[in-house]
Amino acid sequence: MHTRSIRLFHRRINFNSKPEQCTKCDRSLAHSLRIAPPTSDAKAKKIEWNESLSCNNLIWLNGKTVRLNQFSEEARLQLLKNVAPKPKVLNQAKQQAKLRSYRSKVKKAIASEMTKRNKETAERLQYVIECKNVLPEDLIVQFEALNMQREQQRVKMLATYVRYHNLLCNIVPANNVYDQA
């Protein structure tokens, strides 16, 4: 039997953040990176690589072409985690609705604290509303030390808002294509 050399193999598969697509993307990226997939299952076939050709595997990273065998297996796994789409948050629509509800409550609390002349409390709450990044957990402890009306209610409201905000911070829509392998 006569075999031919294949100079280039190209295919395109679109992956998004739906759970089944995340698993497929992880497996595809792991195969390309020559590592065992992090989401392996018992019925999946064993992945085989021709180790004598591993020096020919190149990867484009940070504007440079680098040989894949220069990376350790841990570094390749980290690269996979950075590239693969993040899975969708469980009950995302319900949690976004709760976040909107608590955002409204925080805005009402800001107005209330301003009328009571608790300017520092209102400014801290305004910072929380405007923040686009993950909020620190010690924010609630700092908030408890402030002068405010209905302290326990405000602290509980802020803790709930921070929990939902941090959970939904930097999420990505499920229908976008994130990776093409």
Side-chain angles (χ1 to χ4, degrees), residues 117-170:
R117 303 202 188 268
N118 295 333
K119 187 176 179 182
E120 186 179 358
T121 303
E123 287 174 352
R124 290 272 179 100
L125 288 171
Q126 188 65 37
Y127 163 77
V128 168
I129 287 291
E130 293 173 354
C131 185
K132 301 292 184 206
N133 299 324
V134 175
L135 293 166
E137 295 297 327
D138 66 334
L139 181 74
I140 289 110
V141 176
Q142 296 171 1
F143 191 74
E144 288 173 339
L146 297 175
N147 181 27
M148 69 188 100
Q149 59 179 351
R150 293 192 268 172
E151 182 178 343
Q152 288 181 338
Q153 183 179 352
R154 297 270 195 253
V155 169
K156 186 177 178 184
M157 172 198 63
L158 184 66
T160 306
Y161 176 82
V162 167
R163 187 177 75 241
Y164 284 119
H165 172 81
N166 288 347
L167 180 67
L168 298 171
C169 191
N170 300 325

Short mmCIF file of all heavy atoms in Angstrom, two decimals, residues 117-170:
data_model
loop_
_atom_site.label_atom_id
_atom_site.label_comp_id
_atom_site.label_asym_id
_atom_site.label_seq_id
_atom_site.Cartn_x
_atom_site.Cartn_y
_atom_site.Cartn_z
N ARG A 117 -28.37 62.56 54.02
CA ARG A 117 -27.04 63.20 54.09
C ARG A 117 -25.93 62.23 54.51
O ARG A 117 -24.97 62.62 55.16
CB ARG A 117 -27.07 64.42 55.00
CG ARG A 117 -28.09 65.45 54.58
CD ARG A 117 -27.77 66.80 55.12
NE ARG A 117 -28.85 67.72 54.87
CZ ARG A 117 -28.93 68.49 53.80
NH1 ARG A 117 -28.02 68.43 52.88
NH2 ARG A 117 -29.94 69.33 53.67
N ASN A 118 -26.06 60.99 54.11
CA ASN A 118 -25.00 60.00 54.29
C ASN A 118 -24.23 59.90 52.97
O ASN A 118 -24.34 58.93 52.22
CB ASN A 118 -25.57 58.64 54.69
CG ASN A 118 -26.23 58.68 56.05
OD1 ASN A 118 -25.87 59.50 56.90
ND2 ASN A 118 -27.20 57.81 56.25
N LYS A 119 -23.46 60.94 52.70
CA LYS A 119 -22.81 61.08 51.40
C LYS A 119 -21.79 59.96 51.14
O LYS A 119 -21.72 59.41 50.04
CB LYS A 119 -22.14 62.44 51.30
CG LYS A 119 -21.59 62.75 49.94
CD LYS A 119 -21.02 64.16 49.88
CE LYS A 119 -20.47 64.42 48.48
NZ LYS A 119 -19.88 65.75 48.38
N GLU A 120 -21.01 59.60 52.15
CA GLU A 120 -19.98 58.57 51.96
C GLU A 120 -20.62 57.22 51.60
O GLU A 120 -20.14 56.52 50.71
CB GLU A 120 -19.12 58.44 53.21
CG GLU A 120 -17.95 57.50 53.02
CD GLU A 120 -17.08 57.38 54.27
OE1 GLU A 120 -17.37 58.05 55.27
OE2 GLU A 120 -16.12 56.59 54.21
N THR A 121 -21.71 56.88 52.27
CA THR A 121 -22.42 55.63 51.97
C THR A 121 -22.96 55.66 50.55
O THR A 121 -22.82 54.67 49.81
CB THR A 121 -23.57 55.42 52.98
OG1 THR A 121 -23.04 55.44 54.30
CG2 THR A 121 -24.28 54.10 52.73
N ALA A 122 -23.54 56.77 50.17
CA ALA A 122 -24.09 56.90 48.81
C ALA A 122 -22.99 56.80 47.76
O ALA A 122 -23.17 56.17 46.71
CB ALA A 122 -24.84 58.23 48.67
N GLU A 123 -21.84 57.39 48.04
CA GLU A 123 -20.72 57.32 47.09
C GLU A 123 -20.20 55.89 46.94
O GLU A 123 -19.87 55.45 45.84
CB GLU A 123 -19.59 58.26 47.52
CG GLU A 123 -19.90 59.72 47.31
CD GLU A 123 -18.83 60.64 47.87
OE1 GLU A 123 -17.91 60.16 48.58
OE2 GLU A 123 -18.93 61.85 47.62
N ARG A 124 -20.11 55.16 48.05
CA ARG A 124 -19.67 53.75 47.98
C ARG A 124 -20.66 52.91 47.18
O ARG A 124 -20.26 52.07 46.37
CB ARG A 124 -19.51 53.16 49.38
CG ARG A 124 -18.36 53.70 50.17
CD ARG A 124 -17.09 52.92 49.88
NE ARG A 124 -15.98 53.46 50.61
CZ ARG A 124 -15.51 52.96 51.74
NH1 ARG A 124 -16.04 51.88 52.25
NH2 ARG A 124 -14.49 53.52 52.34
N LEU A 125 -21.94 53.13 47.41
CA LEU A 125 -22.96 52.40 46.65
C LEU A 125 -22.89 52.76 45.17
O LEU A 125 -23.04 51.89 44.30
CB LEU A 125 -24.35 52.69 47.21
CG LEU A 125 -24.69 52.07 48.56
CD1 LEU A 125 -26.01 52.60 49.09
CD2 LEU A 125 -24.72 50.55 48.47
N GLN A 126 -22.65 54.01 44.86
CA GLN A 126 -22.53 54.44 43.47
C GLN A 126 -21.32 53.78 42.80
O GLN A 126 -21.40 53.36 41.65
CB GLN A 126 -22.39 55.98 43.40
CG GLN A 126 -22.46 56.53 42.00
CD GLN A 126 -23.82 56.33 41.36
OE1 GLN A 126 -24.85 56.41 42.00
NE2 GLN A 126 -23.81 56.02 40.07
N TYR A 127 -20.23 53.65 43.54
CA TYR A 127 -19.04 52.96 43.02
C TYR A 127 -19.38 51.51 42.68
O TYR A 127 -18.99 51.00 41.64
CB TYR A 127 -17.90 53.01 44.05
CG TYR A 127 -16.82 52.01 43.78
CD1 TYR A 127 -15.88 52.22 42.77
CD2 TYR A 127 -16.73 50.82 44.51
CE1 TYR A 127 -14.89 51.30 42.50
CE2 TYR A 127 -15.75 49.89 44.24
CZ TYR A 127 -14.82 50.13 43.25
OH TYR A 127 -13.85 49.20 42.99
N VAL A 128 -20.14 50.86 43.56
CA VAL A 128 -20.51 49.47 43.34
C VAL A 128 -21.36 49.34 42.07
O VAL A 128 -21.15 48.43 41.26
CB VAL A 128 -21.27 48.91 44.57
CG1 VAL A 128 -21.92 47.57 44.27
CG2 VAL A 128 -20.32 48.77 45.74
N ILE A 129 -22.29 50.24 41.87
CA ILE A 129 -23.16 50.20 40.69
C ILE A 129 -22.36 50.42 39.41
O ILE A 129 -22.61 49.79 38.39
CB ILE A 129 -24.26 51.28 40.81
CG1 ILE A 129 -25.29 50.88 41.84
CG2 ILE A 129 -24.96 51.53 39.48
CD1 ILE A 129 -26.14 49.73 41.45
N GLU A 130 -21.39 51.32 39.43
CA GLU A 130 -20.63 51.67 38.23
C GLU A 130 -19.50 50.70 37.91
O GLU A 130 -18.98 50.71 36.80
CB GLU A 130 -20.07 53.08 38.37
CG GLU A 130 -21.14 54.15 38.39
CD GLU A 130 -20.61 55.53 38.70
OE1 GLU A 130 -19.39 55.65 39.02
OE2 GLU A 130 -21.40 56.48 38.64
N CYS A 131 -19.12 49.86 38.86
CA CYS A 131 -17.99 48.95 38.67
C CYS A 131 -18.33 47.89 37.63
O CYS A 131 -19.37 47.25 37.68
CB CYS A 131 -17.62 48.30 39.99
SG CYS A 131 -16.14 47.27 39.87
N LYS A 132 -17.42 47.70 36.68
CA LYS A 132 -17.60 46.70 35.62
C LYS A 132 -16.80 45.43 35.90
O LYS A 132 -17.03 44.41 35.28
CB LYS A 132 -17.17 47.26 34.26
CG LYS A 132 -17.93 48.50 33.85
CD LYS A 132 -19.37 48.18 33.56
CE LYS A 132 -20.09 49.42 33.07
NZ LYS A 132 -21.50 49.40 33.32
N ASN A 133 -15.85 45.49 36.81
CA ASN A 133 -14.99 44.34 37.13
C ASN A 133 -15.55 43.58 38.32
O ASN A 133 -16.53 43.99 38.94
CB ASN A 133 -13.57 44.81 37.43
CG ASN A 133 -12.95 45.51 36.24
OD1 ASN A 133 -13.19 45.14 35.10
ND2 ASN A 133 -12.17 46.54 36.51
N VAL A 134 -14.89 42.51 38.68
CA VAL A 134 -15.28 41.71 39.84
C VAL A 134 -15.08 42.55 41.10
O VAL A 134 -14.04 43.19 41.28
CB VAL A 134 -14.44 40.41 39.91
CG1 VAL A 134 -14.74 39.64 41.17
CG2 VAL A 134 -14.70 39.55 38.68
N LEU A 135 -16.09 42.56 41.94
CA LEU A 135 -16.03 43.33 43.18
C LEU A 135 -15.37 42.49 44.28
O LEU A 135 -15.66 41.30 44.40
CB LEU A 135 -17.44 43.74 43.61
CG LEU A 135 -18.13 44.74 42.69
CD1 LEU A 135 -19.61 44.82 43.01
CD2 LEU A 135 -17.49 46.10 42.82
N PRO A 136 -14.51 43.10 45.12
CA PRO A 136 -13.86 42.34 46.19
C PRO A 136 -14.85 41.93 47.28
O PRO A 136 -15.80 42.66 47.56
CB PRO A 136 -12.81 43.32 46.73
CG PRO A 136 -13.29 44.67 46.34
CD PRO A 136 -14.08 44.50 45.08
N GLU A 137 -14.62 40.77 47.88
CA GLU A 137 -15.50 40.26 48.92
C GLU A 137 -15.44 41.10 50.20
O GLU A 137 -16.41 41.17 50.95
CB GLU A 137 -15.16 38.80 49.23
CG GLU A 137 -15.43 37.86 48.07
CD GLU A 137 -16.89 37.77 47.66
OE1 GLU A 137 -17.76 37.89 48.54
OE2 GLU A 137 -17.14 37.59 46.46
N ASP A 138 -14.29 41.72 50.47
CA ASP A 138 -14.16 42.53 51.70
C ASP A 138 -14.90 43.86 51.60
O ASP A 138 -14.94 44.62 52.55
CB ASP A 138 -12.70 42.75 52.05
CG ASP A 138 -11.97 43.60 51.03
OD1 ASP A 138 -12.40 43.63 49.86
OD2 ASP A 138 -10.96 44.24 51.42
N LEU A 139 -15.51 44.14 50.48
CA LEU A 139 -16.29 45.36 50.29
C LEU A 139 -17.44 45.43 51.27
O LEU A 139 -17.75 46.49 51.81
CB LEU A 139 -16.81 45.41 48.84
CG LEU A 139 -17.61 46.62 48.44
CD1 LEU A 139 -16.68 47.81 48.29
CD2 LEU A 139 -18.34 46.37 47.15
N ILE A 140 -18.06 44.31 51.56
CA ILE A 140 -19.20 44.26 52.48
C ILE A 140 -18.75 44.61 53.89
O ILE A 140 -19.43 45.35 54.60
CB ILE A 140 -19.90 42.88 52.43
CG1 ILE A 140 -20.65 42.73 51.10
CG2 ILE A 140 -20.90 42.70 53.53
CD1 ILE A 140 -20.07 41.78 50.17
N VAL A 141 -17.59 44.11 54.30
CA VAL A 141 -17.06 44.41 55.63
C VAL A 141 -16.78 45.91 55.76
O VAL A 141 -17.10 46.53 56.77
CB VAL A 141 -15.78 43.59 55.90
CG1 VAL A 141 -15.15 43.97 57.24
CG2 VAL A 141 -16.08 42.10 55.87
N GLN A 142 -16.21 46.50 54.72
CA GLN A 142 -15.95 47.95 54.72
C GLN A 142 -17.27 48.72 54.76
O GLN A 142 -17.36 49.76 55.41
CB GLN A 142 -15.16 48.35 53.47
CG GLN A 142 -13.78 47.76 53.39
CD GLN A 142 -13.13 48.01 52.04
OE1 GLN A 142 -13.70 48.63 51.16
NE2 GLN A 142 -11.92 47.49 51.88
N PHE A 143 -18.25 48.21 54.08
CA PHE A 143 -19.55 48.88 54.01
C PHE A 143 -20.26 48.87 55.36
O PHE A 143 -20.97 49.82 55.71
CB PHE A 143 -20.41 48.20 52.93
CG PHE A 143 -21.65 48.95 52.59
CD1 PHE A 143 -21.60 50.11 51.83
CD2 PHE A 143 -22.89 48.49 53.00
CE1 PHE A 143 -22.75 50.80 51.51
CE2 PHE A 143 -24.05 49.17 52.67
CZ PHE A 143 -23.98 50.33 51.92
N GLU A 144 -20.08 47.81 56.14
CA GLU A 144 -20.72 47.71 57.45
C GLU A 144 -20.27 48.81 58.41
O GLU A 144 -21.01 49.19 59.31
CB GLU A 144 -20.44 46.34 58.08
CG GLU A 144 -21.18 45.20 57.43
CD GLU A 144 -20.76 43.84 57.96
OE1 GLU A 144 -19.65 43.73 58.54
OE2 GLU A 144 -21.54 42.89 57.80
N ALA A 145 -19.06 49.30 58.22
CA ALA A 145 -18.51 50.33 59.11
C ALA A 145 -19.08 51.72 58.84
O ALA A 145 -18.89 52.63 59.64
CB ALA A 145 -16.99 50.36 58.98
N LEU A 146 -19.78 51.91 57.75
CA LEU A 146 -20.31 53.22 57.38
C LEU A 146 -21.59 53.56 58.15
O LEU A 146 -22.31 52.67 58.59
CB LEU A 146 -20.59 53.28 55.88
CG LEU A 146 -19.39 53.12 54.96
CD1 LEU A 146 -19.85 53.07 53.52
CD2 LEU A 146 -18.41 54.27 55.16
N ASN A 147 -21.87 54.85 58.25
CA ASN A 147 -23.09 55.33 58.88
C ASN A 147 -24.21 55.28 57.83
O ASN A 147 -24.07 55.87 56.76
CB ASN A 147 -22.89 56.76 59.38
CG ASN A 147 -24.13 57.30 60.05
OD1 ASN A 147 -24.93 56.54 60.60
ND2 ASN A 147 -24.28 58.61 60.00
N MET A 148 -25.28 54.57 58.14
CA MET A 148 -26.39 54.47 57.20
C MET A 148 -27.67 54.11 57.93
O MET A 148 -27.63 53.63 59.06
CB MET A 148 -26.09 53.44 56.12
CG MET A 148 -26.06 52.01 56.60
SD MET A 148 -25.50 50.87 55.38
CE MET A 148 -23.82 50.67 55.91
N GLN A 149 -28.78 54.32 57.26
CA GLN A 149 -30.06 53.92 57.84
C GLN A 149 -30.36 52.48 57.44
O GLN A 149 -29.88 52.01 56.42
CB GLN A 149 -31.17 54.84 57.37
CG GLN A 149 -31.36 54.88 55.87
CD GLN A 149 -32.50 55.79 55.47
OE1 GLN A 149 -33.25 56.25 56.31
NE2 GLN A 149 -32.63 56.04 54.18
N ARG A 150 -31.11 51.76 58.25
CA ARG A 150 -31.45 50.35 58.03
C ARG A 150 -30.21 49.54 57.64
O ARG A 150 -30.15 48.94 56.58
CB ARG A 150 -32.53 50.23 56.97
CG ARG A 150 -33.84 50.81 57.44
CD ARG A 150 -34.93 50.43 56.51
NE ARG A 150 -35.07 51.47 55.50
CZ ARG A 150 -35.84 51.37 54.44
NH1 ARG A 150 -36.51 50.28 54.22
NH2 ARG A 150 -35.93 52.34 53.60
N GLU A 151 -29.24 49.54 58.51
CA GLU A 151 -27.93 48.96 58.23
C GLU A 151 -27.98 47.50 57.81
O GLU A 151 -27.38 47.11 56.79
CB GLU A 151 -27.02 49.12 59.45
CG GLU A 151 -25.63 48.61 59.22
CD GLU A 151 -24.73 48.80 60.42
OE1 GLU A 151 -25.05 49.61 61.30
OE2 GLU A 151 -23.69 48.12 60.46
N GLN A 152 -28.68 46.65 58.57
CA GLN A 152 -28.72 45.22 58.24
C GLN A 152 -29.34 44.98 56.86
O GLN A 152 -28.85 44.15 56.08
CB GLN A 152 -29.50 44.44 59.30
CG GLN A 152 -28.77 44.30 60.61
CD GLN A 152 -29.59 43.51 61.62
OE1 GLN A 152 -30.79 43.40 61.52
NE2 GLN A 152 -28.89 42.96 62.60
N GLN A 153 -30.39 45.70 56.55
CA GLN A 153 -31.05 45.54 55.26
C GLN A 153 -30.13 45.97 54.12
O GLN A 153 -30.03 45.31 53.09
CB GLN A 153 -32.33 46.38 55.23
CG GLN A 153 -33.13 46.22 53.96
CD GLN A 153 -34.40 47.06 54.01
OE1 GLN A 153 -34.75 47.65 55.02
NE2 GLN A 153 -35.09 47.11 52.87
N ARG A 154 -29.42 47.09 54.30
CA ARG A 154 -28.51 47.58 53.27
C ARG A 154 -27.33 46.62 53.05
O ARG A 154 -26.93 46.36 51.91
CB ARG A 154 -27.96 48.96 53.65
CG ARG A 154 -29.00 50.04 53.76
CD ARG A 154 -29.21 50.74 52.44
NE ARG A 154 -29.92 51.98 52.63
CZ ARG A 154 -31.19 52.16 52.29
NH1 ARG A 154 -31.89 51.18 51.78
NH2 ARG A 154 -31.76 53.32 52.48
N VAL A 155 -26.79 46.10 54.13
CA VAL A 155 -25.66 45.18 54.02
C VAL A 155 -26.08 43.89 53.31
O VAL A 155 -25.38 43.39 52.43
CB VAL A 155 -25.06 44.88 55.41
CG1 VAL A 155 -24.07 43.73 55.35
CG2 VAL A 155 -24.40 46.13 55.98
N LYS A 156 -27.24 43.36 53.67
CA LYS A 156 -27.75 42.15 53.02
C LYS A 156 -28.00 42.40 51.54
O LYS A 156 -27.66 41.57 50.68
CB LYS A 156 -29.02 41.68 53.72
CG LYS A 156 -29.55 40.36 53.21
CD LYS A 156 -30.77 39.92 53.98
CE LYS A 156 -31.30 38.62 53.40
NZ LYS A 156 -32.54 38.21 54.05
N MET A 157 -28.58 43.56 51.21
CA MET A 157 -28.85 43.92 49.82
C MET A 157 -27.54 44.02 49.03
O MET A 157 -27.42 43.48 47.93
CB MET A 157 -29.58 45.26 49.76
CG MET A 157 -29.75 45.82 48.37
SD MET A 157 -30.15 47.58 48.37
CE MET A 157 -28.70 48.30 49.12
N LEU A 158 -26.55 44.67 49.61
CA LEU A 158 -25.27 44.83 48.93
C LEU A 158 -24.57 43.47 48.75
O LEU A 158 -24.01 43.21 47.68
CB LEU A 158 -24.35 45.78 49.71
CG LEU A 158 -23.03 46.08 49.03
CD1 LEU A 158 -23.24 46.85 47.74
CD2 LEU A 158 -22.11 46.85 49.96
N ALA A 159 -24.62 42.62 49.76
CA ALA A 159 -23.99 41.30 49.65
C ALA A 159 -24.64 40.49 48.52
O ALA A 159 -23.94 39.83 47.74
CB ALA A 159 -24.11 40.55 50.97
N THR A 160 -25.94 40.54 48.41
CA THR A 160 -26.63 39.82 47.34
C THR A 160 -26.27 40.40 45.98
O THR A 160 -26.01 39.66 45.03
CB THR A 160 -28.16 39.88 47.56
OG1 THR A 160 -28.45 39.39 48.87
CG2 THR A 160 -28.89 39.03 46.54
N TYR A 161 -26.26 41.73 45.89
CA TYR A 161 -25.90 42.38 44.62
C TYR A 161 -24.48 41.99 44.20
O TYR A 161 -24.25 41.65 43.05
CB TYR A 161 -26.01 43.90 44.73
CG TYR A 161 -25.56 44.58 43.46
CD1 TYR A 161 -26.41 44.70 42.38
CD2 TYR A 161 -24.26 45.07 43.33
CE1 TYR A 161 -26.00 45.29 41.20
CE2 TYR A 161 -23.83 45.67 42.16
CZ TYR A 161 -24.71 45.78 41.10
OH TYR A 161 -24.28 46.35 39.93
N VAL A 162 -23.53 42.03 45.14
CA VAL A 162 -22.13 41.69 44.83
C VAL A 162 -22.03 40.23 44.38
O VAL A 162 -21.29 39.93 43.43
CB VAL A 162 -21.22 41.97 46.05
CG1 VAL A 162 -19.85 41.34 45.88
CG2 VAL A 162 -21.10 43.46 46.29
N ARG A 163 -22.77 39.33 45.02
CA ARG A 163 -22.73 37.92 44.63
C ARG A 163 -23.20 37.74 43.18
O ARG A 163 -22.53 37.09 42.37
CB ARG A 163 -23.58 37.08 45.58
CG ARG A 163 -23.44 35.58 45.32
CD ARG A 163 -24.21 34.72 46.30
NE ARG A 163 -25.63 34.76 46.00
CZ ARG A 163 -26.57 35.20 46.84
NH1 ARG A 163 -26.23 35.63 48.05
NH2 ARG A 163 -27.83 35.21 46.51
N TYR A 164 -24.33 38.34 42.83
CA TYR A 164 -24.84 38.22 41.45
C TYR A 164 -23.94 38.94 40.46
O TYR A 164 -23.71 38.45 39.36
CB TYR A 164 -26.28 38.75 41.34
CG TYR A 164 -27.29 37.80 41.91
CD1 TYR A 164 -28.11 38.18 42.97
CD2 TYR A 164 -27.44 36.52 41.41
CE1 TYR A 164 -29.05 37.32 43.50
CE2 TYR A 164 -28.37 35.64 41.95
CZ TYR A 164 -29.16 36.05 42.98
OH TYR A 164 -30.08 35.18 43.51
N HIS A 165 -23.44 40.10 40.84
CA HIS A 165 -22.56 40.85 39.95
C HIS A 165 -21.30 40.05 39.63
O HIS A 165 -20.91 39.93 38.47
CB HIS A 165 -22.19 42.19 40.59
CG HIS A 165 -21.14 42.94 39.83
ND1 HIS A 165 -21.43 43.71 38.73
CD2 HIS A 165 -19.80 43.03 40.00
CE1 HIS A 165 -20.32 44.24 38.26
NE2 HIS A 165 -19.31 43.84 39.01
N ASN A 166 -20.67 39.49 40.65
CA ASN A 166 -19.43 38.73 40.44
C ASN A 166 -19.69 37.45 39.64
O ASN A 166 -18.85 37.03 38.84
CB ASN A 166 -18.76 38.40 41.77
CG ASN A 166 -18.13 39.61 42.40
OD1 ASN A 166 -17.96 40.66 41.77
ND2 ASN A 166 -17.78 39.50 43.66
N LEU A 167 -20.84 36.83 39.84
CA LEU A 167 -21.18 35.63 39.10
C LEU A 167 -21.37 35.93 37.61
O LEU A 167 -20.92 35.17 36.75
CB LEU A 167 -22.45 35.00 39.67
CG LEU A 167 -22.93 33.72 39.00
CD1 LEU A 167 -21.93 32.59 39.25
CD2 LEU A 167 -24.29 33.34 39.50
N LEU A 168 -21.98 37.06 37.32
CA LEU A 168 -22.31 37.40 35.93
C LEU A 168 -21.30 38.34 35.29
O LEU A 168 -21.46 38.70 34.13
CB LEU A 168 -23.71 38.02 35.88
CG LEU A 168 -24.83 37.08 36.33
CD1 LEU A 168 -26.14 37.83 36.46
CD2 LEU A 168 -24.98 35.92 35.38
N CYS A 169 -20.28 38.72 36.04
CA CYS A 169 -19.27 39.61 35.49
C CYS A 169 -18.46 38.90 34.42
O CYS A 169 -18.04 37.76 34.60
CB CYS A 169 -18.36 40.08 36.63
SG CYS A 169 -17.27 41.42 36.16
N ASN A 170 -18.25 39.55 33.32
CA ASN A 170 -17.45 39.03 32.21
C ASN A 170 -18.00 37.77 31.58
O ASN A 170 -17.26 36.96 31.05
CB ASN A 170 -16.00 38.78 32.65
CG ASN A 170 -15.33 40.03 33.14
OD1 ASN A 170 -15.58 41.12 32.63
ND2 ASN A 170 -14.49 39.90 34.14
#
